[in-house]
Amino acid sequence: MINIITKKNTTPFSSSVFSEYGNRNTYNSGINLGFSKNKISGQVNASANGSDGFSLSDSSFGNNQNPFRNYAFDTSLDYQFSEYLSTDATYRYARKSFSGPTIATVQGQAIEINEDGWQDEQSLTLETKWNPFERFNTSVIGYTTRFEDYSTTLFEDPTESDITNNNEQGFNRLEVQNNYTWKFDHISTFGGGLTTEFVNAERYKGKRTQSGSFLYLQHQAFFSDKFSITGGARLDNHSTYNSYISPKLSARYKPSEWLTFRASAGRGFKAPDFRTLYLNFDNGGSGYRVIGTLNIQSYISDLEQDGRVRRFFVDPSRANSLSPEYSTSFNFGFDIDPLQNLFLKINLFRNNAENLIEALPVAELTDDSQLFGYININEAYTQGIESELTFIPFKDLKLNVGYQYLKAVQIQRETISVLENGVVIDKDILTEAPLARRPRHSGTVKLSYQEPFWGLETALRVILRSEYLFNGSQATNNEEFAPGYSLWNISVAKDISEKIRIQIGTDNFTNHTDPNFLQYQAGISYFGKLFITFN
Amino acid sequence: MYNKTISIFVLSIFTLFVACSESEQTELTFSGETVTVNNVQAGTDTTGGFTFYNLSTNSIVSDADSATNNWDIALKDAGFEILVITNNGVSGPGNGGGLLIDQDFETITEVPNDDQFKVDTDSELAIDATPGGWWIYTSTQLEPNFAVLPKDPHTIFVRTATGDYAKLEVLSYYEGNPDTSTPEFANLRTRPAQGFFTFRFELLEN
């Protein structure tokens, strides 16, 4: 789902353009037009981006990222009927297209194939807000989205017929939300909605649908300026899975201007959505494929027949069915702001999950790409600390540090027989293994410097990740750890005038690449960017 | 702090003393002096059934002695079952028995009580012959795929035909006890032949 941040336009007419160009023929350009007159305001955005893609390994055929061309268009319109009633509409269309070579082994022979495809996404949101009484407001939100993808595999050999794959997916939601502010300043929120989903995939010969409904209730109680408690619950009904109630309770305490404590606890539920069940992300040239739960069995047997599976990481039958995920989470944290130039936010979290839905690598294919499927992990937990620090040592220099310590664990329980004092007894043991792709330490460091003489805005951004389990198989004897890494980006921007801004920069300037574990990370990139605002 | 260290030290000495006196009560303990046996080919239905083995002479016993107390364990590759039987019950005339536990071979010093040993019956063998017993089949779930690997950990206790005790661990089911992490082993064309037991054991003679 894409959330579009719509900024209400207040000037009668505004427009801006931007254009960016970098190595590998990477480009990104766009235009924004906005208007506002009396009760109507609106805006239109259009953008195009693309790249020649990249390949990290000279020896293997194919690309890590195939050449792609993307276009996006969005528009919004807002109409103010009166002070108490307004409505707005937002529409978005985006197309992504790619093409590139890859390799397949057919009857023991490696042959070159070409994969082309596109993905289209459209969405429409309509929202009406009404404020009929002083303490009550209501809004009705309708949201509909359509997603379609198409890919075709062309063989060099003209006698081989092309393979095409076409899927269409839709999701609709209608929601009503009401807020009531009590005389003693408590706020109650209640609402509900309906959802429907469909998927139309070539391999199913027909449409699959599922639907659901939800109701929620929340009450926010303010006991003083310093202390508030919020309690709420949500009921989800689902056409395929059981109904589920998720309660949540949170509290906030602000003993002084510079200190705030927060705590919360809640239960959660996540049903497998249509994307996880039916859809295939089949862009083989980009280094990976993600196959829906109900497709993966036949998909793998087709690949096996073509001799394209090099090895399995987990038993593929584990990716054939999915149950909903349940979780219980606890949070505790504080914000501290003791000095003008120092801000620190700390949050401790613990999340216990049952049937955790994970996208895990199921197999490695002969073209070096990985095949992912969705797998339930019976029991898992994550816990750790998130922290955010902002420090401004002097006027033109600002340091932001985000750091997370994360322990992400899957739990296996089994009963083993052991000998104690000559007698065999059954002992329940619990083994903990790391969850895949979750580094213990991760962080970003951003240093911005406003150079006073030339007016240059310099920003250095570093992304840090520690070592992590790459292959998520529960098989403890073939764990594969990816090494930790850092990515360094730097950019310099200058406002030539009030209306023109230029920026140059380089991403990943230490040229860190890793064809084994970071298949989608390109090497060093350079770019130049121009923004022009017309008013 | 100093006092605390001393008291922990005294406590440790005491624990050590208690532990020693307890172990003295047990008649037999394994010392860790093990014997490794390489490439004993299991019998199959086509070769005439089991391969019989005597642990005290550390040698293969002829099929002709199958109805005697001359053998302690017998091995058979039956496809989906890999049999390790002991000389008792429906399997032989001896006073043998077997017991399989999920504990590391090296850490085991104690001998199970006599009543813990099982005997082979028509419906159940003392030592589980199915996958998940003392061995696993990797199928496509583990690497290397489609391989029989000894379960880690496992220990098989054997009461011999004449009533001695042994602990035993199977190390490999492939000819030459190959390294199972190599590409040669992963490749089914270059993988060594299966049905060849490499195992280690320690025998305590009564």
Side-chain angles (χ1 to χ4, degrees):
Chain A
M1 222 171 283
I2 290 166
N3 279 317
I4 303 153
I5 300 156
T6 48
K7 171 171 77 181
K8 238 177 235 174
N9 224 46
T10 47
T11 50
F13 185 76
S14 68
S15 62
S16 65
V17 293
F18 72 92
S19 190
E20 180 183 340
Y21 185 75
N23 58 336
R24 294 183 287 271
N25 284 322
T26 303
Y27 64 89
N28 188 8
S29 301
I31 181 164
N32 170 274
L33 303 169
F35 74 96
S36 176
K37 199 184 176 196
N38 301 332
K39 293 175 167 179
I40 304 180
S41 64
Q43 60 172 338
V44 177
N45 297 303
S47 67
N49 66 74
S51 165
D52 286 350
F54 62 90
S55 174
L56 295 176
S57 134
D58 298 330
S59 56
S60 74
F61 186 77
N63 294 319
N64 290 81
Q65 170 71 64
N66 271 329
F68 65 88
R69 303 280 174 263
N70 299 339
Y71 309 94
F73 169 82
D74 64 77
T75 180
S76 68
L77 197 65
D78 185 275
Y79 187 77
Q80 200 87 29
F81 291 96
S82 74
E83 211 182 313
Y84 307 107
L85 184 66
S86 69
T87 186
D88 72 83
T90 306
Y91 171 76
R92 178 182 160 87
Y93 170 77
R95 164 167 283 221
K96 295 177 175 176
S97 57
F98 63 90
S99 87
T102 183
I103 204 154
T105 312
V106 176
Q107 286 155 358
Q109 280 205 305
I111 56 158
E112 294 176 10
I113 57 174
N114 216 56
E115 285 193 317
D116 291 319
W118 49 257
Q119 293 154 12
D120 269 0
E121 195 164 349
Q122 295 182 75
S123 66
L124 178 68
T125 311
L126 291 168
E127 181 173 5
T128 300
K129 290 176 188 159
W130 188 35
N131 192 188
F133 317 111
E134 196 195 333
R135 297 185 168 277
F136 180 74
N137 65 60
T138 183
S139 58
V140 180
I141 309 142
Y143 172 77
T144 179
T145 177
R146 292 287 175 278
F147 177 86
E148 191 177 356
D149 68 67
Y150 177 85
S151 70
T152 169
T153 306
L154 308 164
F155 292 89
E156 295 281 295
D157 178 356
T159 61
E160 289 273 355
S161 57
D162 301 345
I163 301 168
T164 61
N165 186 22
N166 183 213
N167 302 297
E168 196 190 351
Q169 191 192 205
F171 177 82
N172 308 304
R173 186 178 64 223
L174 183 67
E175 183 180 346
V176 181
Q177 190 186 100
N178 309 290
N179 296 301
Y180 185 77
T181 309
W182 300 80
K183 279 192 179 133
F184 41 91
D185 281 346
H186 288 198
I187 301 169
S188 292
T189 304
F190 52 99
L194 300 166
T195 61
T196 60
E197 263 185 287
F198 74 85
V199 64
N200 214 344
E202 260 176 17
R203 60 175 72 222
Y204 301 118
K205 302 179 175 77
K207 225 181 200 183
R208 302 291 162 111
T209 59
Q210 70 180 16
S211 60
S213 61
F214 57 95
L215 280 172
Y216 56 85
L217 184 68
Q218 182 182 290
H219 188 80
Q220 218 174 339
F222 298 90
F223 296 104
S224 72
D225 291 354
K226 292 177 174 175
F227 185 50
S228 70
I229 290 183
T230 305
R234 182 185 160 105
L235 169 70
D236 282 286
N237 290 302
H238 201 280
S239 60
T240 319
Y241 305 100
N242 292 335
S243 300
Y244 189 75
I245 293 177
S246 337
K248 192 180 174 182
L249 189 68
S250 63
R252 185 172 173 273
Y253 177 56
K254 192 171 177 158
S256 86
E257 265 310 301
W258 51 272
L259 183 64
T260 308
F261 291 100
R262 294 168 215 284
S264 70
R267 286 273 292 158
F269 161 83
K270 189 168 117 189
D273 61 12
F274 263 24
R275 199 168 283 242
T276 58
L277 291 177
Y278 291 104
L279 281 187
N280 301 341
F281 176 79
D282 200 353
N283 183 358
S286 67
Y288 69 106
R289 295 151 202 269
V290 189
I291 308 302
T293 303
L294 300 174
N295 297 341
I296 198 161
Q297 198 166 10
S298 63
Y299 195 94
I300 286 178
S301 65
D302 288 354
L303 287 173
E304 273 189 307
Q305 270 176 13
D306 291 348
R308 292 177 67 182
V309 178
R310 183 182 293 153
R311 58 176 179 154
F312 287 105
F313 298 116
V314 294
D315 183 348
S317 68
R318 283 184 59 203
N320 290 347
S321 67
L322 267 190
S323 306
E325 175 184 320
Y326 300 96
S327 61
T328 311
S329 60
F330 304 94
N331 282 277
F332 173 77
F334 59 86
D335 301 352
I336 182 165
D337 190 5
L339 304 164
Q340 289 280 322
N341 62 349
L342 185 70
F343 170 78
L344 179 68
K345 186 182 173 123
I346 302 270
N347 183 46
L348 288 97
F349 60 91
R350 163 90 185 196
N351 186 40
N352 297 330
E354 246 174 83
N355 296 333
L356 180 73
I357 297 170
E358 282 266 280
L360 293 182
V362 173
E364 183 182 89
L365 306 187
T366 49
D367 60 0
D368 292 338
S369 71
Q370 294 212 332
L371 180 83
F372 282 72
Y374 297 96
I375 287 176
N376 277 127
I377 290 178
N378 295 346
E379 213 180 327
Y381 70 84
T382 53
Q383 67 179 34
I385 300 172
E386 297 161 304
S387 63
E388 233 180 273
L389 171 81
T390 303
F391 179 51
I392 306 167
F394 56 91
K395 196 172 80 58
D396 298 320
L397 189 69
K398 186 174 169 187
L399 175 73
N400 293 91
V401 181
Y403 169 74
Q404 180 179 260
Y405 173 84
L406 174 68
K407 189 177 173 195
V409 166
Q410 48 184 314
I411 298 171
Q412 277 176 292
R413 288 175 196 277
E414 57 178 333
T415 304
I416 61 162
S417 55
V418 296
L419 196 64
E420 248 182 51
N421 300 324
V423 179
V424 177
I425 55 163
D426 284 341
K427 204 165 162 180
D428 291 324
I429 57 159
L430 189 149
T431 42
E432 293 193 341
L435 282 170
R437 297 189 306 282
R438 289 171 180 83
R440 183 63 59 101
H441 307 278
S442 58
T444 51
V445 177
K446 191 181 169 189
L447 195 65
S448 341
Y449 179 61
Q450 184 91 30
E451 189 274 325
F453 188 75
W454 299 95
L456 299 177
E457 294 167 38
T458 315
L460 172 74
R461 200 159 54 89
V462 188
I463 297 160
L464 300 152
R465 298 284 181 271
S466 69
E467 176 193 77
Y468 57 96
L469 177 67
F470 181 67
N471 164 9
S473 121
Q474 282 193 328
T476 45
N477 59 346
N478 63 352
E479 283 178 349
E480 199 172 1
F481 283 87
Y485 62 91
S486 61
L487 297 172
W488 297 67
N489 306 327
I490 194 162
S491 69
V492 180
K494 183 173 167 63
D495 290 333
I496 303 279
S497 73
E498 244 177 54
K499 295 183 173 176
I500 300 173
R501 178 180 168 85
I502 54 167
Q503 188 185 28
I504 55 166
T506 165
D507 284 345
N508 190 10
F509 65 79
T510 58
N511 199 22
H512 176 80
T513 58
D514 186 343
N516 295 321
F517 300 114
L518 278 179
Q519 285 136 333
Y520 329 119
Q521 176 61 51
I524 186 165
S525 306
Y526 315 94
F527 62 87
K529 208 169 179 175
L530 176 70
F531 304 85
I532 307 172
T533 314
F534 311 96
N535 264 71
Chain B
M1 190 58 176
Y2 185 66
N3 282 341
K4 209 172 182 180
T5 317
I6 290 204
S7 59
I8 289 171
F9 180 66
V10 170
L11 197 69
S12 324
I13 298 260
F14 181 72
T15 317
L16 203 67
F17 180 73
V18 171
C20 285
S21 57
E22 247 179 23
S23 66
E24 275 162 19
Q25 288 166 3
T26 315
E27 291 167 18
L28 292 165
T29 53
F30 291 106
S31 65
E33 283 169 35
T34 62
V35 180
T36 300
V37 182
N38 295 305
N39 295 321
V40 177
Q41 189 174 8
T44 62
D45 280 330
T46 50
T47 64
F50 286 92
T51 299
F52 298 94
Y53 204 85
N54 186 315
L55 295 177
S56 53
T57 63
N58 197 10
S59 59
I60 294 173
V61 175
S62 110
D63 287 358
D65 283 350
S66 66
T68 69
N69 277 354
N70 239 340
W71 62 275
D72 302 315
I73 57 167
L75 311 171
K76 182 178 175 180
D77 172 7
F80 289 107
E81 293 193 334
I82 305 170
L83 281 67
V84 178
I85 59 167
T86 45
N87 196 336
N88 63 53
V90 296
S91 301
N95 186 30
L99 177 64
L100 170 69
I101 61 166
D102 307 305
Q103 230 175 324
D104 184 37
F105 177 83
E106 298 217 347
T107 63
I108 285 176
T109 53
E110 61 176 330
V111 176
N113 295 346
D114 234 11
D115 61 3
Q116 299 295 304
F117 283 91
K118 295 178 188 166
V119 295
D120 295 344
T121 65
D122 280 328
S123 58
E124 196 186 1
L125 295 174
I127 298 158
D128 187 359
T130 61
W134 60 267
W135 59 282
I136 55 162
Y137 181 61
T138 59
S139 181
T140 54
Q141 196 167 359
L142 295 173
E143 284 186 56
N145 287 176
F146 314 113
V148 171
L149 302 178
K151 215 165 128 182
D152 183 23
H154 81 269
T155 298
I156 294 169
F157 291 106
V158 178
R159 188 170 64 209
T160 68
T162 52
D164 295 333
Y165 299 102
K167 65 169 184 174
L168 183 149
E169 180 188 28
V170 181
L171 300 172
S172 173
Y173 188 60
Y174 292 90
E175 188 170 15
N177 185 14
D179 179 354
T180 56
S181 65
T182 61
E184 289 70 40
F185 187 86
N187 186 337
L188 296 174
R189 291 199 187 93
T190 53
R191 182 177 294 180
Q194 65 170 45
F196 289 83
F197 278 76
T198 295
F199 58 91
R200 57 176 174 169
F201 69 92
E202 181 181 349
L203 182 67
L204 291 175
E205 298 194 63
N206 243 335

